[in-house]
Amino acid sequence: MDKLIVEGGVPLRGAVEVSGSKNSLLPILAATLLTRERCVLKNAPDLRDTVSMLKLLRYLGVAYEFKDHTISLRPNGLERYEAPYKLVATMRASFCVLGPLLARYRKARVSLPGGCIIGVRPVDLHLKGLSKLGAGIQIKEGYVIAEARRLRGAHIYLGGSFGSSVLATGNVMMAATLASGTTVIENAACEPEVVDLARFLMKMGAKIKGEGSPYLEITGVKELHGAEYEVIPDRIEAATLIMAAGVTRGEVLVKKARAEHMMAVLEKLQDAGMNFKIMRDAVLVKKTSRRFKPTDVVTLPYPGFPTDVQAQFMTLMSVSDGISVITEKIYPDRFMHVAELNRMGAQVKREGPYAVVHGIRCLSGAPVMASDLRASAALVLAGLVARGKTEVSRIYHLDRGYERLEEKLKALGAKIERVKE
Ligand code: EPZ
């Protein structure tokens, strides 16, 4: 296993480019199962999760080539409708092959994804939506078995106790593209990644209205054809890079960062005292001399403050000049980074879905352990600003969702090295 060694205290300077969006690419890869024709996906990030999904697709019957951030896919003759545990368990997002397999083969057998460190991660909304489309759903031996002689359009309310669901919206939307009649999804997720999936499906010939709003309307078609598509830049990586520049008091041009996808984050960073200039296809982070102001945050479904930026924001608040309250409304247990930040001298107290952060002047470098993708990023940010050396172990978590992050940061002047554990 690899670890990252970070020497803190260097203000980042220069320009960096954001990679394509992981959370856009993964459901779009699943959507290629809806056609027997060739698809080409551009701006695909080279990540562990990308490879995991491609392995699953190959098992299901899709041959692929992945070169220079472009993936070309076409059927390989196999027509399997079962996604086995060993492939789904490695990455929860694999569960979004359920909708496409059901729509294509009228049956599917997909392993339940199981939970992960940030929470239980139920799939009840996925199953509710698909059964409303006419699928019979059984849970047997850890697998979801879905069958439908015919999928019929339906009016589906897809809100759960934590609000809308990104991948449940994706699963149901993909299945509805080949159902007979019209499907309405109320309380659909509005994330830019859901919009990207809808736009890819429309390029394949799907009929969809309302993407980006809580009210989606999908009119079923007979079949979908192949398509070429470029996925959007990764707004979570963009936010992470902007915050790396801010926390080190540097000056960085974050290219391909789309401000319109990050308004809630940019507003909170502005409240905390960061200076940046929003440009057409970039965000320029300007040097700030002041410490961050304490700023409260509540994570919410898009367009609210994203849960995937909560851990990184906590790092910034841990060196602010006051007390901030961070409320995690999407995954109330998503606080594995608290103990690790406190090992670096941070003063964070967790109370259920709340974390109270008492800002301190300076974190101290220490050996810390990554627990999940975004917590890893928060620990790297902490290492960039801490006094001394920080060793972040188990960074295979980081590699799931950040493409060569240490190289991007090193190119901005950070003292950061990847070494074998
Ligand atoms: C997507 O996961 C993202 N993953 C997550 O990013 C992100 O944190 C999450 O959306 C929320 O924005 C991908 O897109 C691959 P949800 P998803 O269904 O779709 C509850 C990362 O770091 N829920 O929107 O699985 C759920 O427990 C990852 O890149 C149900 O109750 O999340 C949560 O509390 C981590 N029943 C809330 O809804 C369901 O059937 C939102 O989850 C489904 C979800």
Side-chain angles (χ1 to χ4, degrees):
M1 286 195 276
D2 294 354
K3 63 183 174 183
L4 291 180
I5 316 276
V6 196
E7 276 293 332
V10 178
L12 301 184
R13 288 222 188 314
V16 65
E17 186 165 296
V18 176
S19 299
S21 164
K22 162 180 89 76
N23 291 351
S24 201
L25 178 69
L26 296 176
I28 285 175
L29 281 170
T32 63
L33 290 165
L34 290 164
T35 179
R36 286 185 175 73
E37 296 181 11
R38 187 167 175 272
C39 292
V40 177
L41 302 175
K42 296 184 172 165
N43 198 31
D46 186 3
L47 305 166
R48 283 165 55 98
D49 277 7
T50 307
V51 174
S52 301
M53 183 60 98
L54 287 170
K55 279 184 185 154
L56 174 57
L57 290 184
R58 181 166 55 202
Y59 174 86
L60 293 170
V62 178
Y64 67 86
E65 270 157 36
F66 185 13
K67 198 159 163 279
D68 302 333
H69 298 104
T70 298
I71 305 174
S72 54
L73 307 107
R74 53 178 170 64
N76 66 10
L78 285 174
E79 296 211 324
R80 288 193 181 115
Y81 58 81
E82 174 178 328
Y85 175 70
K86 65 178 179 354
L87 291 173
V88 174
T90 53
M91 183 187 60
R92 169 189 168 71
S94 323
F95 195 68
C96 66
V97 300
L98 178 62
L101 291 175
L102 179 64
R104 172 89 175 270
Y105 301 114
R106 300 282 183 273
K107 56 186 167 188
R109 185 170 182 273
V110 176
S111 166
L112 280 165
C116 71
I117 201 123
I118 65 175
V120 175
R121 314 288 300 264
V123 291
D124 56 306
L125 297 173
H126 299 243
L127 304 184
K128 171 187 168 185
L130 296 176
S131 59
K132 288 270 185 190
L133 291 176
I137 304 274
Q138 287 178 67
I139 309 276
K140 262 171 91 177
E141 296 154 10
Y143 279 77
V144 171
I145 298 156
E147 294 194 65
R149 261 197 315 286
R150 183 138 194 69
L151 290 176
R152 292 181 311 281
H155 195 122
I156 304 165
Y157 177 75
L158 216 47
S161 35
F162 296 91
S164 51
S165 162
V166 172
L167 288 180
T169 302
N171 244 334
V172 176
M173 177 166 65
M174 287 189 276
T177 60
L178 295 179
S180 58
T182 297
T183 296
V184 168
I185 302 177
E186 293 213 34
N187 206 333
C190 306
E191 275 71 359
E193 295 77 24
V194 175
V195 173
D196 226 22
L197 173 61
R199 287 186 179 152
F200 174 63
L201 289 167
M202 285 189 269
K203 281 200 87 173
M204 296 173 82
K207 291 190 171 51
I208 298 171
K209 284 189 212 153
E211 68 278 9
S213 86
Y215 192 91
L216 271 180
E217 195 176 289
I218 304 110
T219 305
V221 294
K222 276 253 166 298
E223 61 180 15
L224 294 177
H225 49 73
E228 189 163 312
Y229 194 73
E230 177 169 335
V231 300
I232 53 173
D234 192 314
R235 63 190 168 100
I236 308 300
E237 185 199 14
T240 307
L241 292 167
I242 288 167
M243 292 156 93
V247 80
T248 59
R249 299 196 182 166
E251 188 145 318
V252 175
L253 178 67
V254 183
K255 297 191 289 188
K256 293 176 107 177
R258 290 203 188 156
E260 70 272 21
H261 289 167
M262 303 186 280
M263 291 319 286
V265 174
L266 295 177
E267 185 185 273
K268 284 297 175 182
L269 292 177
Q270 214 152 33
D271 293 351
M274 264 187 73
N275 288 327
F276 41 78
K277 183 168 177 255
I278 293 176
M279 302 163 80
R280 200 179 58 76
D281 195 20
V283 172
L284 173 63
V285 177
K286 296 178 172 172
K287 190 173 169 48
T288 44
S289 49
R290 296 188 308 276
R291 278 177 73 188
F292 290 117
K293 294 181 213 144
T295 307
D296 297 345
V297 144
V298 179
T299 65
L300 289 168
Y302 193 87
F305 191 95
T307 173
D308 293 349
V309 179
Q310 179 257 106
Q312 302 91 310
F313 195 78
M314 185 182 288
T315 295
L316 269 57
M317 291 302 102
S318 68
V319 289
S320 73
D321 62 359
I323 296 176
S324 314
V325 178
I326 293 179
T327 308
E328 176 53 72
K329 287 216 164 178
I330 308 296
Y331 297 111
D333 290 330
R334 193 176 197 169
F335 287 122
M336 295 306 290
H337 41 289
V338 169
E340 297 307 299
L341 287 172
N342 287 346
R343 287 174 48 74
M344 298 177 72
Q347 289 180 17
V348 184
K349 196 165 172 3
R350 186 212 163 160
E351 290 295 337
Y354 307 100
V356 181
V357 186
H358 288 247
I360 60 166
R361 273 214 166 275
C362 189
L363 295 171
S364 322
V368 290
M369 195 178 284
S371 53
D372 61 275
L373 167 52
R374 306 303 173 183
S376 324
L379 296 174
V380 172
L381 292 189
L384 290 173
V385 73
R387 184 187 314 109
K389 185 171 82 169
T390 299
E391 288 192 8
V392 185
S393 59
R394 300 192 180 180
I395 54 157
Y396 54 85
H397 291 292
L398 191 74
D399 295 336
R400 291 190 50 184
Y402 289 92
E403 189 177 2
R404 301 177 295 99
L405 183 63
E406 77 277 3
E407 288 172 31
K408 292 184 178 181
L409 293 172
K410 203 188 294 185
L412 295 172
K415 287 183 186 158
I416 183 168
E417 289 301 329
R418 178 186 286 254
V419 297
K420 291 278 171 233
E421 283 242 55

